[in-house]
Amino acid sequence: MSMAGNIPLRPHQDLRPRVALILIGAALVLILGRNLLPPGLMRAPDWLVLPFADWINVIFAFLRDDLGLIHVTRAFAAMLEWLLDVTANLLYGKNRWPRLGPLPWSAVAVSMAALGWWLGGWRLAALSGGTFVWIAVMGQWQWAMETLSVIAIAAPFSVLLGLVMGIMAWRWTWAAKLMNPVLNVAQSLPHFAYMIPVVVFIGVGPKAGAIVTIIFSVPPMIRMTELGLRKVPEEVVESGKMGGATAWQLLRKVRIPTARTEILIGVNQVIMQCLAMVVLASFIGMPGLGQKLLQLLQALKIGLSVEIGITIVLIAVVLDRLSKAWAMRQPVHHDETLPWARRHPVLVVWALALVAAFALAQIFPLLHQVPRAQALSVAGPLDVLVDGFIRLVDPVTTWLRWFLITWVLIPLRDGMLWLPFTAVLTGIAAAGWSVGGWRSAAVVVAFFGLIALSGWWDRAMITVYMVGFSVFIAALIGLPLGIWAARSETRAGRMLLLCDSLQTFPSFIYLIPVVMLFGVNDVAVVAAVVTFAAVPLIRYTIEGLRGVPAELVEAAHMSGTTRRQMLWHVRLPMALPVMMVGLNQSVMFSLFMVIIAAFIGTQDLGQELQRALSATDVGKGLVLGLAVAFMGLAVDHLIRRWSESRSAALGL
Amino acid sequence: MTRTSRPVRAVAFALAPFAFAFPAFAQDSGDPIVIPIHNWSSQIVMSHAIGQIFEGMGNSVEYVSTDSQAVYEAIRLGDAALEVEVWEGAFGASFDAAKEKGGIHEAGNHNAVTREDWWYPLWTKEACPGLPDWEALNACASAFATPETGDKGRFLGGPVDWLKHDAEKVEALDMNFTVVNAGSAAALWAELAAAERDKTPIVLFNWTPNFAEAVWPGEFVEFPKWEAGCDSDPAVGPHPDKVYDCGNPADGYLKIAAWDGMPEKWPGAYAVLQKVSFTNPQIAEMAKLVDVDGMEPEDAATAWLAANEATWKPWLE
Amino acid sequence: MTRSDPVISCRNVWKIFGPRPMDALAQLRADPQARPDRHVTAVHDVTLDIMPGEMLVVMGLSGSGKSTLVRCLSRLNEITAGEILIEGRDIGKMSESELIDLRRRKMGMVFQSFGLLPNRNALENVAFPLEMRGQSRASRIARAREMLALVGLKGRESYFPRELSGGQQQRVGIARSLAVEPDIWFLDEPFSALDPLIRREMQDEFLRLKAILKKTIIFITHDFDEALRLADRIAIMKDGRVEQCDTPDRIVLEPATEYVARFTAEIDRARVIHASGLAEPLTGRSAEGPALPGGQTLREMARHLVADRRDWIPVADAQGRTTGVLERARALDILLGEHV
């Protein structure tokens, strides 16, 4: 900062590149002088590595045993379990109160179709009803209902909790200030990190699965509720006040109904997060499709895995479309002179169909339940097909595997591990400084510094290299694809639809095809991460390019630009800030995916996280989870800062 | 409960006279007996077999998929009722730790010895004739090299959550090997099958009882003999300053663990559980039904029970 | 309450937005020209009285503080200093429940962007204030139907706001504001969001309602023509200050400040000035013959003015009493433009 004193007249901004250059130089010196460095500059010395994990464990042991928090959490879990038992009974006939179930599958399918019709017309009805027919016919009813019985409890709980917390954050500034950083960290914590404390406090089984799902899915609901309440037009609130509404009436009858769309988008996100958790929560005993998929995939039964994968995807798409249709649904008036039945045709048809379904299920047991022995399956032929395909591409994948591992992955990994941690920190500081001055530099160095202090530096660097390489490949694929798609409206529309659908897939689903193609190894991990991470890049590239103001493009046309000039000099620079948002998401997605991919067998933080989960080591799990979160937050900070200043410079 | 109702009914039918003769079963609590299942086949099939026996006695049973290490904590707290396969080498430490905290105890012992350690199929001996001695293995480490391990040999370990301490062993014995963890048991067999095609040398994690013995003949690597405390006391074993400088127990136990509350809550089921005992071949057979014959674990359990009534019916008396 | 007591009375009202309004106020009181950092003075020492049954139009450009002023009158905004009396009671000292009660019985307000609840249909929107005060469902629905009929929306009761045009939405807003039979009616730029043709139609509708309902009205607008057309009195605001508060005739004839004069410069004054506005007291002068109706604008009686040969013409009020005399030459100057 002493330089600032020497050139007082220069604006602060101009110093940034200089300081950044100096920092990069310092990093280079550290790297070049690597062999001369004292070991303390290579890796954080032992005395600096703080036993965070032990501290956390002590705190948790105190909370759990000395404060007796475990009794509270267990009482809560017992209450939740009672609710879970009710839905479990209704949906798949678990032997619990009220002992009415299971409902015939035909009745459920008819109801879902009616819901689809009501919310979005006959297409949605067909999709929604068809999905449940598929589930029943494929003999997956029990598993699907096990899954849905948990979601049916977890999602409303999460919505309610999110609503209350969102209202608190909106109402009280201190609550918002408290929640914001917590939510930021929570949304970048890998899924596994949530599970360990839950196992400690709740145990395993459906209730633990439900709780981890609730915790994981609540942050977007809080965010959307707060956003929705803030967006309520002031005039609407004033009109409520002038109508003589009390504070409570205002909230309940004016603000919340007016924020309906945002709140329902929150509900949609909750449901999607719940589905993302379906497979992962089976690590701690959540029953259903996820557990089955995990078992089958581990047993390398590809055909059956694909069948279940399709079901999970179908459910995700149906629930996504239903909840989105609900969010976007606008009230429509009815002619008051029509009879009741004419005004509510869906209700009438649903009631009739439901009665019919119950009656027919009594006569034809197949409409009540499809036994697994009589279920259809495409697994056999699919397995043969996949097997043949794998044999066919085996030389390619084997070569690819060998090439990637020997010439790319291993050298990269070794390179990352070879770097002195001080050099990495200095380099990161340089990036921070060039983007946002000393504040940003301090923020990102703090994030990575804490990782160094946690003693997991090497593992973290492996994660960094996996994420970095995957995002790089994803960008190589995603950017040209996005640019290509953005050239025509129809193509862009189709591509965006595809991206939308791909984003509704729970992340775990991406592992099925890669395991199918590459088997269980590093290349499969990279392939899964690349696919997953390319989606946001494509999406935001298209949106960025299409968002360039038409006037600007017309002006450029009138200046006689060629297509190439238009892309490089007009469209891309204008779209860059939006594309960077895509890059940001891409990094977040790959971080999550790399951690999940521990299931395939990786050597990074994810593997250690899974080990911590196995050993129920809360401290270690949280430290590792936070290390992942900090990496994500640091990248998020850098990209966001850059994107904001760039947008401001472009006057967007 | 379509999926299980058929077999359950079959078992219930077979058991009906016993249920009549032993009204003691009626004392069992109506709450479901929660049986944890893990990620290897014999355990899943055995859990279902025992579960189906319980169901035949009129109990309700639920299966939850849990982590095989975390399960002892769950049993201790009563979240799960029992564990049908406690392997000494893999879970002895977790089991002992949980026993110390209280809430879990040993309810039975299978008539089986377990061993889990580094293992190779017989064709590997051609590339490394000195086997099964571990020093001979170390000497021909380069024969096991793969792209990801460079010039070191690859040891294919089980999934990380089995917590095998292979890396510690490599370190303690200063071996020229790198541990690469497979994602699942199936991945182990897939690699083994791939190696079989061109008879590539391979050394991987394996255990007995296991179906693999029947499919691929092979041997365990002979490490310095296990002595109690080798995993915790550096002084034990050949290297005075290292832990894990030894092989796994060659004749480990295979026990059944139960929650302390189980005898009181389900006395009938608990009485049966105490008598349960399977042998190595029986356990291998259960695994084979799933891993080789491709049956669903539930169906495999039903089939096994139907074929082996002589084994399990006496436990009900 | 006698008839001459004001319904609303503002005494030196200040509204300053910013982190430390009281400090800014002290600064401004010391030096009225001061511009305190990070503070915006939306209402600057305003004193006004509004009489029962009167219609006051507050006119100003955007940012002049007119909307803030009206929100202070209903205490949607808390004022920084001064006091506001409604029927003699200081609303700044009212408790939350007294305030809510006041709004439920005495006040109605119409908003620029209508402020309708999107999830309720027209009927339920109009019934909203009645619901808030706990009226039974049947009675509030009946009342809401009546109000919708009054604003000409019969048959659209079950339509949702997004299914109605802007003009129709504002009719719903008007119906809602009138549902509780308020004594005081606030209208915050009610027609600004509408296109010109609809605006004209709504103004006529408004004048019709005003004639039927006889309420005390505070009407905000940025449109000077609209103000002239509707007002009994106009308060012209600039930078939070009331520049002039007077009848339209007097504002046009005698603008108090340069700023007001700029507004009136382009106005066709003959359309604005009424006979009564131009009339001078009878003192000493005798005027004979038929009198002009005081409520008509010069434009409306242009033909008569040109034809009438008297230099001084009597002007009568609505009851036919002579209230003053009008100098024909001056009226003709205004009508035809000066220096012709």
Side-chain angles (χ1 to χ4, degrees):
Chain A
M1 287 303 289
S2 61
M3 281 185 58
N6 296 341
I7 324 164
L9 290 176
R10 283 281 184 91
H12 202 68
Q13 203 116 24
D14 282 357
L15 268 177
R16 281 187 190 165
R18 252 183 234 206
V19 178
L21 268 179
I22 292 171
L23 285 171
I24 289 177
L28 279 176
V29 168
L30 283 169
I31 292 171
L32 292 175
R34 182 179 180 278
N35 294 334
L36 306 173
L37 286 185
L41 292 181
M42 284 297 302
R43 287 289 179 270
D46 284 345
W47 56 267
L48 245 180
V49 172
L50 302 174
F52 291 118
D54 298 340
W55 296 343
I56 294 175
N57 276 332
V58 167
I59 294 171
F60 265 80
F62 173 76
L63 285 177
R64 178 189 140 124
D65 302 326
D66 299 331
L67 274 187
L69 205 60
I70 191 166
H71 302 295
V72 180
T73 55
R74 293 216 141 222
F76 175 74
M79 186 268 291
L80 204 62
E81 188 164 36
W82 185 84
L83 289 172
L84 286 170
D85 283 342
V86 173
T87 53
N89 172 262
L90 293 177
L91 290 177
Y92 64 96
K94 190 176 178 182
N95 189 14
R96 295 295 154 80
W97 188 86
R99 298 182 214 282
L100 296 172
L103 299 171
W105 71 262
S106 46
V108 176
V110 160
S111 305
M112 291 307 291
L115 191 62
W117 185 19
W118 181 58
L119 288 172
W122 66 269
R123 276 166 194 273
L124 197 52
L127 178 68
S128 168
T131 295
F132 282 79
V133 172
W134 152 277
I135 295 171
V137 170
M138 298 307 284
Q140 299 173 358
W141 194 255
Q142 163 103 12
W143 306 329
M145 291 305 116
E146 282 173 358
T147 295
L148 288 178
S149 73
V150 175
I151 291 181
I153 296 299
F157 242 93
S158 181
V159 166
L160 208 66
L161 197 65
L163 206 57
V164 170
M165 290 176 75
I167 290 170
M168 286 171 66
W170 158 79
R171 181 71 182 75
W172 294 295
T173 330
W174 60 263
K177 278 189 182 149
L178 198 74
M179 273 184 224
N180 230 334
V182 176
L183 288 182
N184 279 338
V185 173
Q187 289 191 300
S188 16
L189 265 184
H191 312 64
F192 286 121
Y194 286 95
M195 296 183 188
I196 306 172
V198 170
V199 172
V200 169
F201 278 107
I202 310 289
V204 292
K207 57 181 191 277
I211 285 172
V212 90
T213 307
I214 291 171
I215 297 175
F216 186 71
S217 61
V218 88
M221 186 69 203
I222 300 177
R223 289 250 151 101
M224 289 311 293
T225 304
E226 194 192 343
L227 178 76
L229 288 174
R230 289 201 195 285
K231 265 178 66 181
V232 172
E234 191 52 32
E235 280 206 342
V236 172
V237 176
E238 284 176 343
S239 78
K241 283 187 184 160
M242 288 309 290
T246 60
W248 171 240
Q249 285 175 322
L250 264 186
L251 182 64
R252 203 164 62 87
K253 303 205 162 174
V254 177
R255 293 188 204 266
I256 290 181
T258 310
R260 176 184 178 278
T261 304
E262 281 78 15
I263 290 176
L264 288 182
I265 288 174
V267 170
N268 169 270
Q269 292 191 6
V270 164
I271 293 175
M272 297 326 286
Q273 297 282 49
C274 285
L275 280 165
M277 217 46 180
V278 157
V279 182
L280 297 170
S282 68
F283 279 104
I284 58 169
M286 170 132 153
L289 291 169
Q291 189 191 93
K292 211 68 205 168
L293 177 62
L294 201 62
Q295 281 175 11
L296 290 170
L297 212 50
Q298 282 182 332
L300 296 180
K301 292 186 179 164
I302 298 295
L304 287 170
S305 310
V306 170
E307 277 181 17
I308 295 205
I310 291 173
T311 304
I312 295 180
V313 165
L314 278 174
I315 292 179
V317 170
V318 164
L319 291 184
D320 177 56
R321 296 285 143 83
L322 285 177
S323 51
K324 266 197 196 137
W326 188 28
M328 295 305 152
R329 191 181 163 78
Q330 297 288 348
V332 178
H333 75 277
H334 295 287
D335 189 343
E336 287 175 89
T337 55
L338 286 175
W340 185 87
R342 289 285 302 281
R343 273 182 286 151
H344 303 92
V346 180
L347 214 57
V348 174
V349 173
W350 173 65
L352 291 177
L354 199 62
V355 170
F358 271 103
L360 288 173
Q362 291 301 316
I363 305 166
F364 307 105
L366 264 187
L367 286 177
H368 198 282
Q369 282 167 331
V370 180
R372 268 197 72 70
Q374 279 166 273
L376 300 182
S377 173
V378 290
L382 206 64
D383 270 335
V384 173
L385 206 74
V386 167
D387 219 45
F389 183 73
I390 288 178
R391 253 175 243 280
L392 197 70
V393 298
D394 187 57
V396 180
T397 49
T398 311
W399 178 84
L400 196 67
R401 188 183 160 191
W402 168 82
F403 173 79
L404 274 177
I405 289 176
T406 324
W407 292 104
V408 183
L409 297 179
I410 303 273
L412 259 176
R413 188 189 68 194
D414 292 349
M416 285 308 287
L417 293 177
W418 178 84
L419 291 175
F421 89 103
T422 40
V424 177
L425 285 182
T426 320
I428 289 168
W433 208 298
S434 68
V435 163
W438 69 271
R439 274 172 203 276
S440 290
V443 167
V444 292
V445 167
F447 279 137
F448 270 82
L450 278 170
I451 298 175
L453 296 191
S454 75
W456 292 106
W457 184 260
D458 284 1
R459 296 276 179 173
M461 283 304 109
I462 296 181
T463 303
V464 166
Y465 111 82
M466 292 273 260
V467 170
F469 179 69
S470 305
V471 170
F472 176 71
I473 299 290
L476 282 188
I477 298 170
L479 296 183
L481 210 57
I483 292 171
W484 173 78
R487 287 234 301 256
S488 106
E489 274 304 303
T490 46
R491 229 189 275 160
R494 272 184 213 149
M495 192 61 106
L496 282 178
L497 191 70
L498 181 71
C499 287
D500 262 352
S501 308
L502 284 175
Q503 283 196 314
T504 57
F505 293 5
S507 42
F508 206 88
I509 295 296
Y510 286 81
L511 292 177
I512 301 176
V514 299
V515 168
M516 207 162 96
L517 285 181
F518 300 107
V520 179
N521 57 58
D522 287 27
V523 179
V525 176
V526 171
V529 180
V530 166
T531 323
F532 197 51
V535 175
L537 278 170
I538 298 174
R539 190 201 173 105
Y540 281 93
T541 303
I542 296 177
E543 282 180 357
L545 287 174
R546 290 210 310 173
V548 176
E551 266 185 30
L552 204 69
V553 175
E554 283 162 8
H557 270 306
M558 293 311 289
S559 320
T561 50
T562 63
R563 214 178 210 188
R564 179 178 293 264
Q565 286 172 323
M566 176 75 87
L567 181 65
W568 284 105
H569 296 293
V570 182
R571 284 185 191 267
L572 278 181
M574 290 302 284
L576 211 49
V578 177
M579 287 161 68
M580 290 307 269
V581 175
L583 179 69
N584 197 0
Q585 250 191 38
S586 178
V587 171
M588 293 296 147
F589 280 22
S590 24
L591 261 179
F592 271 44
M593 199 67 188
V594 163
I595 300 302
I596 292 172
F599 157 82
I600 297 188
T602 49
Q603 311 274 319
D604 67 339
L605 288 171
Q607 187 191 33
E608 286 297 330
L609 254 176
Q610 216 184 5
R611 208 172 270 176
L613 177 60
S614 290
T616 339
D617 188 338
V618 186
K620 184 177 163 187
L622 278 184
V623 168
L624 290 166
L626 286 173
V628 175
F630 286 168
M631 279 188 247
L633 289 172
V635 173
D636 178 72
H637 179 90
L638 287 178
I639 295 181
R640 203 179 286 259
R641 256 300 155 82
W642 185 88
S643 179
E644 272 166 13
S645 60
R646 188 85 199 130
S647 295
L650 290 173
L652 292 175
Chain B
M1 300 292 287
T2 328
R3 257 179 330 115
T4 50
S5 67
R6 228 161 15 98
V8 167
R9 234 178 285 134
V11 175
F13 197 71
L15 290 172
F18 298 99
F20 220 71
F22 294 91
F25 293 159
Q27 297 165 2
D28 280 3
S29 162
D31 291 350
I33 303 173
V34 177
I35 302 181
I37 52 179
H38 310 309
N39 53 358
W40 67 97
S41 314
S42 68
Q43 196 272 349
I44 304 176
V45 178
M46 196 191 292
S47 295
H48 277 282
I50 293 173
Q52 288 176 16
I53 293 175
F54 288 166
E55 281 181 319
M57 296 160 61
N59 281 305
S60 72
V61 173
E62 269 165 30
Y63 305 95
V64 292
S65 166
T66 56
D67 183 87
S68 53
Q69 299 285 349
V71 70
Y72 298 97
E73 185 70 8
I75 295 177
R76 206 172 71 70
L77 296 168
D79 291 329
L82 55 101
E83 166 60 56
V84 296
E85 285 190 13
V86 186
W87 294 60
E88 178 173 8
F91 310 116
S94 297
F95 181 40
D96 289 342
K99 269 202 293 197
E100 217 159 274
K101 290 192 207 163
I104 187 171
H105 67 278
E106 180 188 331
N109 202 339
H110 292 290
N111 185 17
V113 277
T114 59
R115 181 170 186 187
E116 25 175 19
D117 219 323
W118 294 32
W119 180 95
Y120 54 88
L122 279 182
W123 68 78
T124 303
K125 258 191 161 167
E126 287 167 26
C128 196
L131 284 170
D133 180 54
W134 72 272
E135 282 171 311
L137 173 73
N138 201 25
C140 43
S142 56
F144 300 90
T146 60
E148 55 257 71
T149 58
D151 49 356
K152 289 192 173 182
R154 176 184 69 156
F155 168 71
L156 189 64
V160 281
D161 64 333
W162 292 0
L163 299 180
K164 284 294 150 207
H165 309 290
D166 294 311
E168 288 88 338
K169 187 187 287 178
V170 166
E171 210 260 336
L173 295 174
D174 194 22
M175 294 178 75
N176 268 325
F177 274 82
T178 300
V179 178
V180 174
N181 290 99
S184 66
L188 285 176
W189 314 138
E191 286 284 333
L192 186 53
E196 188 188 16
R197 246 178 273 151
D198 34 12
K199 303 280 187 241
T200 319
I202 183 169
V203 56
L204 71 162
F205 183 78
N206 198 354
W207 60 92
T208 177
N210 184 357
F211 80 96
E213 310 164 81
V215 184
W216 298 284
E219 291 168 345
F220 285 99
V221 176
E222 295 300 340
F223 283 104
K225 213 171 148 39
W226 161 267
E227 292 166 64
C230 172
D231 57 347
S232 50
D233 183 359
V236 180
H239 294 271
D241 55 345
K242 296 272 168 70
V243 289
Y244 293 110
D245 49 345
C246 60
N248 287 334
D251 51 353
Y253 61 69
L254 184 65
K255 287 182 177 171
I256 297 171
W259 173 46
D260 281 357
M262 192 182 172
E264 201 177 311
K265 198 166 180 187
W266 301 282
Y270 184 74
V272 173
L273 185 69
Q274 282 181 306
K275 292 183 199 156
V276 168
S277 171
F278 293 105
T279 61
N280 281 28
Q282 286 169 339
I283 297 169
E285 168 74 10
M286 289 182 190
K288 185 186 139 281
L289 288 176
V290 171
D291 288 330
V292 181
D293 301 346
M295 294 174 82
E296 290 285 312
E298 299 90 324
D299 303 337
T302 312
W304 191 91
L305 285 176
N308 295 279
E309 288 195 1
T311 307
W312 58 270
K313 281 225 165 140
W315 298 341
L316 297 168
E317 283 156 14
Chain C
M1 291 277 301
T2 60
R3 212 184 124 57
S4 57
D5 285 332
V7 178
I8 302 176
S9 180
C10 303
R11 299 268 160 268
N12 307 98
V13 171
W14 290 79
K15 174 67 192 178
I16 300 170
F17 290 105
R20 308 176 66 106
M22 292 317 283
D23 294 355
L25 178 67
Q27 211 181 326
L28 277 163
R29 276 186 169 151
D31 169 20
Q33 299 307 317
R35 292 202 167 268
D37 248 6
R38 291 177 298 142
H39 287 78
V40 177
T41 313
V43 177
H44 190 123
D45 197 14
V46 168
T47 300
L48 270 180
D49 280 332
I50 299 152
M51 294 300 173
E54 186 186 20
M55 164 143 181
L56 175 73
V57 173
V58 181
M59 208 293 297
L61 300 183
S62 59
S64 62
K66 56 190 189 306
S67 285
T68 308
L69 177 64
V70 79
R71 280 166 172 72
C72 291
L73 298 182
S74 53
R75 213 178 137 190
L76 284 172
N77 286 348
E78 297 287 343
I79 55 177
T80 311
E83 59 181 11
I84 292 171
L85 307 175
I86 304 264
E87 295 181 345
R89 296 174 64 205
D90 185 346
I91 59 165
K93 294 201 173 72
M94 283 185 183
S95 69
E96 180 74 18
S97 59
E98 283 174 319
L99 183 66
I100 284 174
D101 193 60
L102 180 77
R103 288 175 182 161
R104 283 178 180 177
R105 329 201 155 267
K106 286 258 180 249
M107 294 177 171
M109 184 157 171
V110 181
F111 296 87
Q112 179 174 4
S113 324
F114 323 134
L116 299 180
L117 296 171
N119 58 314
R120 291 169 173 243
N121 64 23
L123 199 64
E124 291 162 341
N125 259 299
V126 175
F128 178 81
L130 307 171
E131 182 184 335
M132 291 302 102
R133 65 183 191 190
Q135 210 160 313
S136 77
R137 189 175 161 77
S139 83
R140 65 183 191 237
I141 292 295
R143 170 76 184 159
R145 271 186 204 287
E146 202 180 301
M147 294 320 296
L148 280 174
L150 180 70
V151 297
L153 280 181
K154 202 169 168 55
R156 301 279 162 128
E157 288 87 349
S158 60
Y159 281 54
F160 287 89
R162 69 175 185 94
E163 297 175 307
L164 297 168
S165 70
Q168 288 171 328
Q169 289 190 46
Q170 194 56 294
R171 283 170 199 261
V172 176
I174 289 171
R176 175 180 62 186
S177 69
L178 294 172
V180 294
E181 295 186 73
D183 295 333
I184 305 169
W185 197 17
F186 298 105
L187 298 100
D188 180 17
E189 303 211 33
F191 310 137
S192 301
L194 307 177
D195 59 48
L197 282 178
I198 307 285
R199 192 182 309 163
R200 183 85 193 174
E201 183 190 318
M202 291 295 286
Q203 285 168 357
D204 291 338
E205 178 77 19
F206 171 76
L207 286 172
R208 180 178 72 86
L209 289 171
K210 181 188 160 200
I212 311 173
L213 298 168
K214 308 220 184 307
K215 296 187 185 301
T216 306
I217 300 171
I218 294 91
F219 189 108
I220 310 290
T221 183
H222 64 254
D223 178 349
F224 193 50
D225 287 325
E226 187 170 75
L228 292 171
R229 189 153 183 257
L230 304 176
D232 290 340
R233 263 198 312 158
I234 300 177
I236 294 181
M237 285 187 78
K238 181 185 178 245
D239 296 339
R241 278 177 250 240
V242 173
E243 295 271 309
Q244 187 174 10
C245 181
D246 221 326
T247 61
D249 299 48
R250 289 182 61 80
I251 283 192
V252 172
L253 287 172
E254 292 163 39
T257 66
E258 187 78 358
Y259 182 73
V260 177
R262 289 228 304 272
F263 269 108
T264 59
E266 296 297 316
I267 291 296
D268 178 0
R269 299 194 293 169
R271 280 189 189 281
V272 177
I273 297 167
H274 300 83
S276 59
L278 213 56
E280 288 166 33
L282 280 167
T283 44
R285 295 191 195 87
S286 64
E288 280 150 25
L292 291 170
Q296 282 196 2
T297 61
L298 299 185
R299 171 70 70 218
E300 285 165 327
M301 49 196 175
R303 191 173 292 276
H304 186 93
L305 279 173
V306 173
D308 201 320
R309 292 286 161 195
R310 289 174 290 180
D311 286 341
W312 293 89
I313 310 172
V315 177
D317 64 11
Q319 280 76 39
R321 284 171 304 203
T322 305
T323 52
V325 288
L326 177 148
E327 190 183 357
R328 178 166 163 265
R330 197 174 159 210
L332 285 176
D333 277 350
I334 292 171
L335 191 61
L336 304 172
E338 281 165 69
H339 317 296
V340 175

